[in-house]
Amino acid sequence: GENVEQHPSTLSVQEGDSAVIKCTYSDSASNYFPWYKQELGKGPQLIIDIRSNVGEKKDQRIAVTLNKTAKHFSLHITETQPEDSAVYFCAAHMEYGNKLVFGAGTILRVKS
Amino acid sequence: ETGVTQTPRHLVMGMTNKKSLKCEQHLGHNAMYWYKQSAKKPLELMFVYSLEERVENNSVPSRFSPECPNSSHLFLHLHTLQPEDSALYLCASSQDALAGEQYFGPGTRLTVT
């Protein structure tokens, strides 16, 4: 069935360094790819998204890239700060079943 | 209040209890969702409601019973649950069903003893 693979499962970086999280998806007809940040005790919060008609989108220190041919997309966080520490989830909107399918999450730790 | 709210935030129940989770969205959205979040697993979609009609049921056991009395409120009624049902239950809403941005509530941490 449709699925989204997310790597790595945990990521530790030094404050100020960059962090990259990668996801691959199975449904080539997928057209919408959001990223969520979940802090302890809170629900996932949408931080950035990208649609299939663009290859890259940037919002201050975060950016997302999409390679439709390879069916993968990535989240890039530059100049990481301790408050970036959280669990990050990618998702893909699957045309098959018409639903969002989520990756398993990446625990990001930013060490100060 | 703004966004998506959920009550209670924490719930401990025995296997023979009946309880309900409540979700309310203040965003004027037409679609609402229930997800189950277990440790080290992807979010699992349970139910989807669009304009108060259920449009998706992802093979969820009948011990979970959703109710959507209007487009702003969503309930999840729980009955004779199992310990493996312990998880974080998340409610979300979006402007339209199964497309576009979904906004999540803080979740209800459920423990079944």
Side-chain angles (χ1 to χ4, degrees):
Chain A
E2 64 278 13
N3 70 307
V4 174
E5 300 279 342
Q6 183 171 346
H7 298 280
S9 56
T10 59
L11 178 60
S12 289
V13 299
Q14 201 65 37
E15 182 178 359
D17 289 349
S18 295
V20 181
I21 303 170
K22 299 181 179 181
C23 289
T24 59
Y25 58 96
S26 57
D27 183 1
S28 57
S30 296
N31 56 12
Y32 174 67
F33 307 90
W35 284 89
Y36 287 86
K37 175 184 180 182
Q38 187 173 23
E39 297 174 284
L40 200 61
K42 298 183 179 180
Q45 179 187 7
L46 179 68
I47 57 172
I48 195 167
D49 55 15
I50 192 167
R51 298 194 181 270
S52 58
N53 57 345
V54 298
E56 184 174 358
K57 184 177 178 180
K58 190 173 181 180
D59 183 4
Q60 298 182 350
R61 294 188 298 110
I62 59 173
V64 57
T65 59
L66 171 65
N67 184 328
K68 284 214 71 180
T69 304
K71 290 190 287 186
H72 68 69
F73 56 112
S74 300
L75 177 71
H76 304 254
I77 306 174
T78 58
E79 300 172 33
T80 53
Q81 300 167 4
E83 51 265 36
D84 294 330
S85 297
V87 182
Y88 291 81
F89 294 94
C90 64
H93 183 251
M94 302 286 181
E95 184 170 280
Y96 178 79
N98 195 21
K99 61 184 179 182
L100 269 184
V101 177
F102 287 81
T106 296
I107 300 171
L108 174 64
R109 295 192 185 91
V110 180
K111 298 174 286 187
S112 56
Chain B
E1 287 216 63
T2 59
V4 181
T5 58
Q6 290 186 244
T7 55
R9 295 294 310 276
H10 300 272
L11 178 62
V12 179
M13 60 186 288
M15 288 190 284
T16 58
N17 291 159
K18 288 183 182 181
K19 296 287 184 183
S20 295
L21 310 185
K22 179 183 175 182
C23 175
E24 184 173 0
Q25 59 97 359
H26 310 266
L27 300 169
H29 288 166
N30 294 318
M32 297 186 76
Y33 312 76
W34 279 117
Y35 285 88
K36 177 183 179 182
Q37 186 176 34
S38 304
K40 299 181 181 178
K41 291 176 68 175
L43 273 72
E44 300 171 51
L45 180 63
M46 300 175 72
F47 301 104
V48 183
Y49 276 82
S50 176
L51 296 172
E52 302 144 47
E53 282 194 33
R54 192 189 312 179
V55 297
E56 180 102 6
N57 177 345
N58 268 8
S59 304
V60 179
S62 59
R63 57 186 184 270
F64 294 92
S65 174
E67 179 190 1
C68 188
N70 55 62
S71 59
S72 298
H73 294 84
L74 185 65
F75 295 89
L76 188 63
H77 304 298
L78 314 173
H79 177 50
T80 58
L81 296 192
Q82 304 298 311
E84 58 265 29
D85 296 322
S86 299
L88 182 69
Y89 288 84
L90 291 161
C91 173
S93 72
S94 66
Q95 187 60 54
D96 298 296
L98 298 170
E101 305 161 2
Q102 292 186 18
Y103 295 87
F104 285 84
T108 295
R109 173 66 63 184
L110 174 67
T111 302
V112 181
T113 61

